[in-house]
Structure formats: C-alpha cells, structure tokens
Amino acid sequence: MSLVVYLAAFMLGVASVLVRRRPRTALRDPLTLSTCVAIALAALVFVCAAPATLAAVNELTGVPNFGAPLTYGMLSAYSCAALVLLINWRGGPRELVRRMVLRSVAAYGLLVLAIVALFALADAGTERLTDLDTYYANTPFMREMILLYLLGHSAAMLVMCAVCLKWAREVTGLLRIGLRLILVGTLLDVVGFQLTKYTAVVARWNGHDLDFLSTDVAPPMASLGAVLCSAGFVLPRLLPPTLAQWRGLLDHRRLAPLWHLVRSASTAPKPPTAWWQLPQVRLQWREVSIHDALLALAPYFDHRVRERARDDALAAGRSPHEARLAAEAAMLTDAARRAAAREEPPPADGSYRLHATEVSGTGGLVELARALDRGRPPPTAPHTPPVPDGAGPNTMAGPMAEPEEPHVA
C-alpha cells in the first residue's frame, strides 16, 4: 500500500511544482498560492499516511501511533486549504474573501488542536499501521478523535461538491472541465474513502468486522480522488500556456522556409541556442530577425517581378489574396538573390509594404513562408528524349538516319 500512496504523493508534488513555475509571482497571487498549498498538503497527507512513514515516525518519536494525529492533522489542514482555494477561486470583495479565509483557518485550526488533545488523552499503546481506525473504534477518546477527523474532512468535501456542481453550470471551457474533474475526484473521496471508513467504524461499534473497507478499499480511492482533484485545479491554469507554447513551436517550424531565405540579410543579434529556451521565446527571436531582414531587403524589391507573378497567379485561378502572397514571395526571392549577389538595387518606389508587415502577430509571416514553400519548383529528373514507336535500341529515326543501301539483284 505504501507504493500506491507514495505514487499519489509524487504526482501531487509534480502538479504543485508545475503550478508554481514562478515562485515570486506565486507568493503575490492568492489563487496560485492557495492552489500550491492545497496540492502540497495533499501530497504530505499521502506521505504521512503510508505505513512505512507511520512506522518511521513512531520509532523516531518513541510514541506508539504518533503518526495518527500527524496524518489526521495534515488531512484537516488539507481540507481547510481546499476550502480556502475555493474561496479564492470564487473571488469577490477583498474583505469578504479575507473574512471567509480567516474563519475557515480558525475552524480547522481548532479541529487540529482537538485531534491532538484527544490523542493525548487516549490509551493507544499498541502500534497499528494500517487498521488504526477500526482497531481503536471503541477506545475512549480515540473513538472521538477518529470520528472528528472524518467529520471535518467530510464537511470540506461536501462543500466542494456543492460548490463545484453549482459553478459547473455557470462557466464554460477549461474551467468547466476542471470543475468536473474536481467534482469526480471529490465524489470518489466521499464515496470511496469516507463512506467506507464510516461503514467500517460503525460496523466495529456494532460488533461486526468490515475492516477491509478501511484498509484495502479506502486508501486507493482516496489516492485516485486526490489526483483527479489536483488535475482539476491545475488544468485550467496550465493547459492554456501549454497550448500557447505548442502553437509557438508549430509557427517556429512554419517560418523555416522564410528564415532560410532571408537569414543572410538579417542584422539582428543572434538568438540564444540554449536547449531550454521555450518555443515562444524562440519564435519571438525568429520573428524579430525576419522583420529586420525584410527591412534590409526592401531596397532590392523589383515590383516588375511582383506584378508578373501576381498576373500569373490570377490567371491560374488564385484568389487576389493568394495572388498577392505568391507575388510577394517571388519578389522577395528575387530580392534575396540580388542582395546575395551584391547587385545594384532596381529603381522602385520604396513605399510598398508587404502583407506580412501590415498584420500584427506571426500570421502574416507564416502565410508568406507558406507561399514561398508552394512556389518552390519540384525536383526534376534528367530529361531523356522520347523514343519513337517501332525504333529499336540500335536504330535512329529522323533526317539524320542513314539511308538504306539499294538492293542489287
């Protein structure tokens, strides 16, 4: 069981690190800070609840079952952090949010103190690593401690279920998907962890043995529920920047034909080549360098080349926009050739602007790069003259063929 619990803790820890990409910004943003704290506390709960951790804590402190109030206190702190996260996510007037956060912290702070006090009053001298809830279900003070931590956790999870169900009807997109994941994870926690714990404890109160629900069913259900909840919190915050980086990578590759054509004319500083540079950073460097090269090549633009290419594209049935892009691609190719050969710039009007420089963003440059890629001639095979029908490998036809010798009888 320790392996399953540690795996859940590791996944939650990774999620917390991903959310806190910029620690200084996270400390100033209540929503990011509360998200990181909630996920980190969930990871700590699983670390503390693992039997291997419980045994180490008990041995280190010399107190049998000292890991129980530690784990239950962490679980109560996680319940409080989840409520605080929901409060910050919902937003509202700053004073109202602050007041609700303080009330939640105060309530669960008292709950943690009560858990520690009840454990100190109880007689729990026999170490139990996996079945403490059911083993001590009828022990004075331990019984109240177990019931108290379950009730505190149930209250927080039921509030999360109600709030997520309400918000999911009011929002759309990634936020709705995230809320649904939180709702599914919370329901797994309520049904798979809490309900099974309650059932096993109540069964002990009535003289029955359903300990397997508490020891075998509850831990994996709690792990799965916590992972789904963390995914719901993280998804709306991480997926948009991830998609933006993916689009940056695609646009960086799409600009390759244009960059290879004009890179020799660019005077911009060379971009950093470190492998850890994000795709959007690489894209910005390439975009700046291409615009710099286009300015350097502007004096070499030959508008006669552009007009001929535009007329040919229109005659081929292309739309005016496609014809303009094809014409500008042909003119840019000619300008790059002239600049590389150090030819004199042609006499032309310098007021013309490329379509790629008239639109904001990378879209215009990507269209120009595609036009350049379409305008490249395909590779051709060596030309072989056709052989006329009936001509063998050793015969020739045409005016250069040798005349036949006359037949002599």
Side-chain angles (χ1 to χ4, degrees):
M1 187 177 72
S2 294
L3 179 61
V4 175
V5 176
Y6 284 141
L7 180 60
F10 173 75
M11 295 177 66
L12 293 169
V14 170
S16 177
V17 171
L18 289 176
V19 171
R20 194 188 52 180
R21 299 185 306 276
R22 299 173 182 174
R24 293 182 180 178
T25 305
L27 293 176
R28 293 194 298 266
D29 183 7
L31 180 57
T32 303
L33 180 60
S34 56
T35 303
C36 295
V37 170
I39 298 176
L41 283 174
L44 287 176
V45 169
F46 286 108
V47 170
C48 293
T53 304
L54 292 174
V57 169
N58 295 338
E59 182 179 0
L60 183 64
T61 59
V63 178
N65 301 311
F66 186 85
L70 176 64
T71 302
Y72 299 156
M74 284 290 181
L75 183 61
S76 301
Y78 164 70
S79 302
C80 178
L83 290 179
V84 170
L85 174 55
L86 287 176
I87 294 170
N88 285 321
W89 202 354
R90 180 65 174 177
R94 181 175 298 181
E95 287 300 322
L96 177 61
V97 171
R98 182 173 177 271
R99 187 162 55 249
M100 294 177 67
V101 168
L102 290 177
R103 288 177 180 175
S104 300
V105 172
Y108 278 89
L110 293 175
L111 177 63
V112 172
L113 292 177
I115 289 172
V116 174
L118 289 170
F119 177 78
L121 294 173
D123 182 13
T126 304
E127 183 181 56
R128 311 301 297 185
L129 300 179
T130 58
D131 61 345
L132 183 140
D133 291 346
T134 52
Y135 185 84
Y136 288 107
N138 292 308
T139 302
F141 299 112
M142 287 293 287
R143 174 182 58 229
E144 287 76 11
M145 182 193 74
I146 294 167
L147 187 60
L148 195 59
Y149 97 81
L150 285 174
L151 288 175
H153 186 55
S154 298
M157 294 300 104
L158 289 175
V159 169
M160 285 185 64
C161 284
V163 172
C164 290
L165 189 61
K166 178 183 178 182
W167 289 356
R169 299 171 182 170
E170 302 174 358
V171 298
T172 58
L174 287 176
L175 189 55
R176 173 180 286 183
I177 296 174
L179 287 171
R180 287 178 176 176
L181 283 174
I182 297 171
L183 180 61
V184 172
T186 307
L187 288 175
L188 276 175
D189 187 287
V190 171
V191 177
F193 175 73
Q194 299 170 38
L195 187 58
T196 54
K197 287 280 187 180
Y198 283 124
T199 304
V201 170
V202 172
R204 278 287 185 144
W205 292 350
N206 294 304
H208 302 290
D209 185 356
L210 295 177
D211 292 4
F212 74 95
L213 293 175
S214 177
T215 57
D216 298 333
V217 177
M221 290 296 100
S223 301
L224 181 58
V227 170
L228 287 177
C229 284
S230 298
F233 286 127
V234 169
L235 184 66
R237 300 181 64 81
L238 285 188
L239 191 57
T242 301
L243 293 177
Q245 295 295 339
W246 176 252
R247 287 191 295 267
L249 177 62
L250 293 180
D251 286 343
H252 185 271
R253 292 181 176 179
R254 289 167 182 159
L255 290 178
L258 178 58
W259 173 239
H260 291 318
L261 177 66
V262 304
R263 63 188 305 175
S264 60
S266 176
T267 58
K270 291 185 178 180
T273 58
W275 61 269
W276 61 81
Q277 290 291 339
L278 293 175
Q280 280 193 319
V281 176
R282 295 175 180 269
L283 177 62
Q284 291 172 358
W285 276 96
R286 177 162 287 187
E287 187 178 355
V288 169
S289 300
I290 289 176
H291 277 293
D292 182 77
L294 293 179
L295 288 175
L297 291 174
Y300 294 93
F301 287 168
D302 190 341
H303 298 285
R304 294 169 298 180
V305 174
R306 177 178 59 82
E307 291 169 358
R308 284 196 301 268
R310 182 195 59 195
D311 295 340
D312 291 342
L314 291 173
R318 295 190 182 182
S319 66
H321 181 65
E322 292 177 344
R324 179 182 179 182
L325 290 175
E328 291 179 350
M331 181 176 66
L332 184 60
T333 303
D334 178 74
R337 179 191 60 79
R338 290 175 180 269
R342 300 182 182 277
E343 296 182 5
E344 288 293 328
D349 181 11
S351 62
Y352 182 81
R353 293 185 62 188
L354 297 173
H355 170 72
T357 62
E358 292 180 342
V359 297
S360 59
T362 318
L365 294 177
V366 170
E367 286 184 321
L368 183 57
R370 287 175 176 172
L372 282 169
D373 201 34
R374 284 194 301 264
R376 288 180 179 175
T380 57
H383 178 70
T384 303
V387 179
D389 295 339
N394 297 322
T395 62
M396 296 181 62
M400 296 300 295
E402 292 291 336
E404 296 181 1
E405 293 290 336
H407 176 70
V408 180

